Amino acid sequence: MAMFASTFLTNLHAIASYFFLILCIASVLFYCYAIYAAITFFAAPQAINREFHPAVTILKPICGLDSNAYENLASFCQQDYPKYQIIFAVRNSQDPCIEIVEKIIHNFSDLDILLIVSDRVIGTNLKISNLANAAAKAKYEILVLADSDIRVGGDYLQRVIQPLQDKNVGVVTCMYRTVTQGWISILEAISTTTEFHAGVLVSNIKENGIKFAFGSTIVIPKKVLEAIGGFEAIADYLADDFQLGYLPVQAGYKVVLSDYIVEHVQISNNLVDAIRRQIRWARGKRVSRPWGYLGLIFTYGVVTSLLLLIATNGSILGWLGLSICWITRLVMAWVVGTISLKDPIVKKFLWLVPVCDLLSFVIWFFGFIGNTIEWRGQQLKLTKDGKLLVPEDKNYELSIKVLTNKGA
């Protein structure tokens, strides 16, 4: 019996070593492909036709005060673009952001700016209700959606609108680099830039275009929005930005990833809030792209190389695997983050990438567990298809009221 147990443990040890070795090889291949994808994507800048500048309506759903709120929102009022409308949508008439918007309207009185205050609800995701309320007043055919914590340059509209010259394009979206303060935000920013966006660039090359979008920017014509059922079709989804890319693809349109990089202003020093936010995003990714989420195991070379080193008892193979994985990962982070996205955070804190990967792996694991999320202090259930549900033991109207007061 003792011999059998010893043989079993030896075989198990060998299997684990081979398994971690395979994962390490897969990770290195992914890192190399991400480097190739980043270089390929940014090697040829997207052409700009200065004669193409259709009128657009910018929709800005707002709730509460973001960091540097005035600067973020005002950046959309400083566009080198001939004709555009901006609609700010707020749910609560007591929301402190209204004062900021009114200041913007006063300071940019020559622009077509509208503030809408409406508590009309079309679904569980109140951000989408905000967008729907704003869209009802949109003058122009092309809608530009951007979260309130996004900041852009003066050439933003001219550049992100360009892909719509192709009538087959239904959505244009943008990657982003994060402007941060505090170590918690720095760690989140590094993971987003060097891990999440690396995956986006790989998907863009591998799938000949992405099939999702980001809340940082979503350019979508009204006819495309109507083709997918309007905002009502996504009003109950957590990952509304994903759906605004996915559903148009299902309707026969293309999603184009712009090479314009916007700035995401995030200042968070609360570790608990950051963990909850990351888990919420992880679970949202899991239900949106389940196989893609599972496949992330092949991208965590920093973790699997450590496990390989442990499984091989510190062998030469283990140390070789760890060295190759970590070096390749750092090179990929530098190419994607510093060279391609020009993120100063990655350039300054490149040495933190392995730490971010370890934390990201833990978040990824917990993303598989549970179907509840916390959003603005409210517990909500997440269905298998990505929709949000108010827990059965709570009154729906009361939950909506709480969410309204706390912000969507």
Side-chain angles (χ1 to χ4, degrees):
M1 180 63 71
M3 182 177 296
F4 173 79
S6 177
T7 302
F8 174 78
L9 291 175
T10 300
N11 292 337
L12 184 63
H13 192 268
I15 292 173
S17 298
Y18 282 120
F19 177 68
F20 293 135
L21 178 61
I22 291 172
L23 291 181
C24 286
I25 294 173
S27 297
V28 170
L29 293 175
F30 170 79
Y31 299 153
C32 291
Y33 197 80
I35 293 171
Y36 163 76
I39 294 174
T40 301
F41 182 76
F42 288 99
Q46 296 173 1
I48 299 177
N49 177 7
R50 297 293 179 182
E51 301 303 315
F52 182 74
H53 41 68
V56 303
T57 294
I58 301 174
L59 305 183
K60 300 289 291 185
I62 310 177
C63 192
L65 286 177
D66 294 312
S67 301
N68 304 106
Y70 180 86
E71 290 78 5
N72 298 342
L73 301 179
S75 69
F76 287 83
C77 303
Q78 299 167 327
Q79 294 301 299
D80 182 15
Y81 200 79
K83 194 173 185 179
Y84 64 101
Q85 173 193 27
I86 304 178
I87 302 179
F88 296 102
V90 184
R91 292 191 49 79
N92 191 338
S93 61
Q94 303 301 314
D95 196 307
C97 72
I98 291 178
E99 182 179 351
I100 298 295
V101 174
E102 290 176 341
K103 181 178 179 181
I104 287 176
I105 293 175
H106 177 267
N107 291 346
F108 297 94
S109 57
D110 57 324
L111 294 180
D112 184 359
I113 305 177
L114 181 63
L115 169 63
I116 292 179
V117 181
S118 174
D119 60 358
R120 183 176 72 102
V121 174
I122 65 170
T124 316
N125 186 330
L126 299 184
K127 170 188 168 184
I128 297 303
S129 292
N130 255 356
L131 285 170
N133 295 336
K137 299 294 184 179
K139 293 181 179 179
Y140 305 121
E141 168 63 21
I142 298 175
L143 305 177
V144 178
L145 287 51
D147 290 341
S148 59
D149 54 4
I150 297 300
R151 185 185 300 167
V152 297
D155 60 341
Y156 166 74
L157 277 183
Q158 183 66 71
R159 288 180 58 182
V160 300
I161 213 74
Q162 293 299 311
L164 292 185
Q165 294 177 82
D166 181 350
K167 300 304 180 182
N168 294 317
V169 174
V171 175
V172 182
T173 193
C174 295
M175 293 182 289
Y176 53 92
R177 52 179 168 259
T178 305
V179 178
T180 67
Q181 288 182 15
W183 284 102
I184 304 302
S185 293
I186 287 174
L187 292 173
E188 287 188 275
I190 293 172
S191 290
T192 298
T193 302
T194 69
E195 180 187 334
F196 175 70
H197 286 321
V200 170
L201 290 168
V202 167
S203 295
N204 190 56
I205 297 292
K206 180 175 174 290
E207 300 178 13
N208 193 28
I210 59 176
K211 296 176 174 59
F212 44 88
F214 316 119
S216 54
T217 288
I218 298 175
V219 183
I220 183 169
K222 286 183 180 179
K223 66 177 183 179
V224 177
L225 185 61
E226 292 168 359
I228 66 173
F231 284 117
E232 289 77 8
I234 61 170
D236 291 320
Y237 283 92
L238 170 64
D240 50 88
D241 49 358
F242 173 87
Q243 295 296 329
L244 281 172
Y246 175 75
L247 292 179
V249 170
Q250 303 308 304
Y253 293 95
K254 294 191 299 184
V255 177
V256 171
L257 181 65
S258 172
D259 62 358
Y260 189 90
I261 311 300
V262 302
E263 291 187 339
H264 170 224
V265 181
Q266 177 179 307
I267 300 176
S268 172
N269 295 311
N270 189 316
L271 179 60
V272 174
D273 287 347
I275 291 174
R276 287 172 177 168
R277 178 170 56 250
Q278 291 297 323
I279 290 179
R280 183 178 76 238
W281 288 348
R283 289 174 179 166
K285 294 174 189 175
R286 185 199 73 203
V287 297
S288 297
R289 303 187 74 190
W291 288 109
Y293 188 76
L294 180 63
L296 290 176
I297 186 62
F298 297 109
T299 69
Y300 288 115
V302 167
V303 177
T304 53
S305 62
L306 283 173
L307 294 174
L308 174 65
L309 183 65
I310 295 171
T312 58
N313 296 320
S315 68
I316 295 178
L317 176 63
W319 281 109
L320 183 63
L322 184 141
S323 300
I324 293 175
C325 277
W326 285 45
I327 291 173
T328 313
R329 173 67 176 104
L330 291 173
V331 171
M332 185 268 274
W334 182 265
V335 172
V336 173
T338 301
I339 298 178
S340 300
L341 298 182
K342 296 178 173 54
D343 192 328
I345 299 296
V346 177
K347 183 177 182 179
K348 185 176 181 180
F349 297 102
L350 183 69
W351 58 276
L352 280 175
V353 167
V355 177
C356 293
D357 282 7
L358 290 170
L359 295 174
S360 179
F361 179 80
V362 174
I363 295 295
W364 173 80
F365 177 79
F366 278 100
F368 285 103
I369 304 172
N371 63 348
T372 61
I373 64 165
E374 183 170 326
W375 197 0
R376 299 285 186 172
Q378 179 74 3
Q379 291 289 330
L380 297 170
K381 287 186 177 181
L382 189 61
T383 66
K384 290 182 178 180
D385 59 354
K387 290 186 176 182
L388 292 167
L389 295 176
V390 176
E392 296 178 359
D393 59 341
K394 295 184 178 180
N395 180 271
Y396 179 79
E397 294 183 358
L398 177 60
S399 297
I400 288 294
K401 183 177 180 181
V402 171
L403 276 170
T404 301
N405 292 333
K406 289 183 175 293

